[in-house]
Amino acid sequence: MGPVALLVLCLSCLLLLSLWIQSSGKRKLPPGPTPLPIIGNILQLDVKNISKSLSNLSKVYGPVFTVYFGMKPTVVLHGYEAVKEALIDRGEEFSGRGSFPVAEKANKGFGILFSNGKRWKEIRRFSLMTLRNLGMGKRNIEDRVQEEAHCLVEELRKTNASPCDPTFILGCAPCNVICSIIFQNRFDYKDNFFLNIMERFNENVKILSSPWIQIYNLCPALLDYFPGSQNKVLKNIAFIRSYVIEQTKEHQASLDIHNPRDLIDYFLIKMEQKLYRPEGNGMKYSR
């Protein structure tokens, strides 16, 4: 068999596989536009304005419909009522997380935003409880917010009423409140390290919403070997992780289990509590 015939055979098998996957999956999914083999509904979507494309499709197929990104089906919820029914009325059934290869590659399945299953539920439960202990949703968090609001006003005064774009300054304020909860430390708005972190976060948000990342999520096994913006995302996350690890080591050295200062302290205490747990007649090592 010549190379051309072999290529045709492989493409034919891939085409048949794509058709079989799409036809078998359609039986359990909401209606939607008919996908093409392999590429799905990509040609029917404007990659520069996917939200508008999905909004137009909802006018034809209703508030709940299916589109295919490649061979991967995606159920879209459009409109307040559909989202409310899924996330509030049926919150338990829809509490899981879908696959997001870029984040999974960076976080190895850990974290809150992109992890899944039992691990995600445990970390989410711990995080919500800890944030409440630190004052979230209570009056004692007001001190940190008021302190940051005062710093924000002072920073705006430095502009001397001259024209400026306040977007970045306004973004620094909530970030500093979050940093005070996690690290027990806020940063000056001109701090170079803080500016570096903010820049990397903003860069990641832009990259993760780009068409290239959507393609990467469709074919992660293939694009692992190609240069692209996904490598910049991983590099930025590695930089932020290195700072968190450094802060964690400093917290370990000064940890007082009777007086936790921030979220890192609470997490370290929880790790110590689960380091050895009784199981039967012996002890089981667990982290």
Side-chain angles (χ1 to χ4, degrees):
M1 183 181 294
V4 176
L6 181 61
L7 179 61
V8 171
L9 178 61
C10 291
L11 290 176
S12 300
C13 292
L14 185 60
L15 179 62
L16 291 173
L17 176 63
S18 173
L19 290 172
W20 178 77
I21 292 174
Q22 290 176 356
S23 61
S24 61
K26 276 185 177 181
R27 301 168 189 167
K28 304 177 183 178
L29 295 172
T34 303
L36 295 174
I38 302 176
I39 62 173
N41 300 115
I42 293 295
L43 298 181
Q44 297 165 274
L45 301 173
D46 182 0
V47 294
K48 294 183 179 179
N49 195 348
I50 292 181
S51 61
K52 183 178 180 180
S53 299
L54 297 178
S55 181
N56 292 335
L57 289 174
S58 71
K59 298 175 182 177
V60 179
Y61 300 100
V64 182
F65 58 95
T66 304
V67 293
Y68 280 78
F69 292 94
M71 293 189 292
K72 182 179 179 181
T74 301
V75 176
V76 179
L77 305 178
H78 185 275
Y80 171 80
E81 291 299 332
V83 174
K84 176 180 177 295
E85 181 181 357
L87 301 184
I88 298 179
D89 300 343
R90 303 187 179 185
E92 185 63 28
E93 293 93 328
F94 287 87
S95 63
R97 295 292 184 271
S99 174
F100 198 69
V102 175
E104 291 169 1
K105 184 178 178 66
N107 298 330
K108 311 300 182 185
F110 291 93
I112 298 177
L113 294 180
F114 299 107
S115 58
N116 212 334
K118 182 180 179 181
R119 175 187 291 166
W120 170 74
K121 289 184 179 180
E122 290 182 351
I123 295 177
R124 179 178 179 273
R125 188 182 305 114
F126 163 80
S127 300
L128 290 174
M129 179 187 68
T130 302
L131 290 174
R132 283 196 294 268
N133 291 338
L134 290 170
M136 294 294 292
K138 302 178 182 178
R139 292 187 61 87
N140 55 354
I141 197 66
E142 290 183 6
D143 292 339
R144 295 183 182 183
V145 175
Q146 289 177 359
E147 176 189 358
E148 196 58 44
H150 177 74
C151 295
L152 175 61
V153 171
E154 290 300 318
E155 193 67 25
L156 291 173
R157 282 175 178 165
K158 293 178 183 178
T159 63
N160 296 320
S162 60
C164 68
D165 183 358
T167 304
F168 183 78
I169 298 177
L170 293 175
C172 288
C175 284
N176 252 334
V177 174
I178 294 172
C179 286
S180 68
I181 293 172
I182 298 176
F183 307 119
Q184 201 192 21
N185 179 43
R186 69 170 302 279
F187 295 89
D188 183 84
Y189 290 180
K190 301 299 183 181
D191 185 275
N192 288 331
F193 185 81
F194 183 58
L195 296 177
N196 194 0
I197 289 181
M198 290 282 292
E199 181 181 354
R200 289 173 186 262
F201 267 118
N202 291 334
E203 186 175 41
N204 277 4
V205 170
K206 292 179 181 178
I207 294 175
L208 290 174
S209 60
S210 67
W212 173 256
I213 293 299
Q214 307 306 319
I215 296 174
Y216 179 90
N217 286 328
L218 293 175
C219 309
L222 296 177
L223 296 180
D224 273 344
Y225 303 100
F226 288 85
S229 56
Q230 76 278 2
N231 294 322
K232 185 65 175 177
V233 171
L234 299 177
K235 183 178 179 181
N236 289 342
I237 293 176
F239 173 83
I240 297 169
R241 182 188 291 116
S242 65
Y243 176 73
V244 174
I245 292 174
E246 178 185 330
Q247 287 294 310
T248 302
K249 290 179 178 178
E250 293 181 4
H251 278 63
Q252 282 179 318
S254 58
L255 180 64
D256 179 1
I257 62 174
H258 301 295
N259 185 29
R261 299 159 293 185
D262 48 33
L263 189 140
I264 292 179
D265 275 0
Y266 275 98
F267 200 92
L268 290 173
I269 293 171
K270 188 68 173 179
M271 287 177 61
E272 291 297 326
Q273 291 173 350
K274 297 191 70 174
L275 183 61
Y276 289 100
R277 64 181 183 186
E279 183 167 299
N281 296 325
M283 303 292 287
K284 181 177 179 180
Y285 180 79
S286 174
R287 272 201 184 269

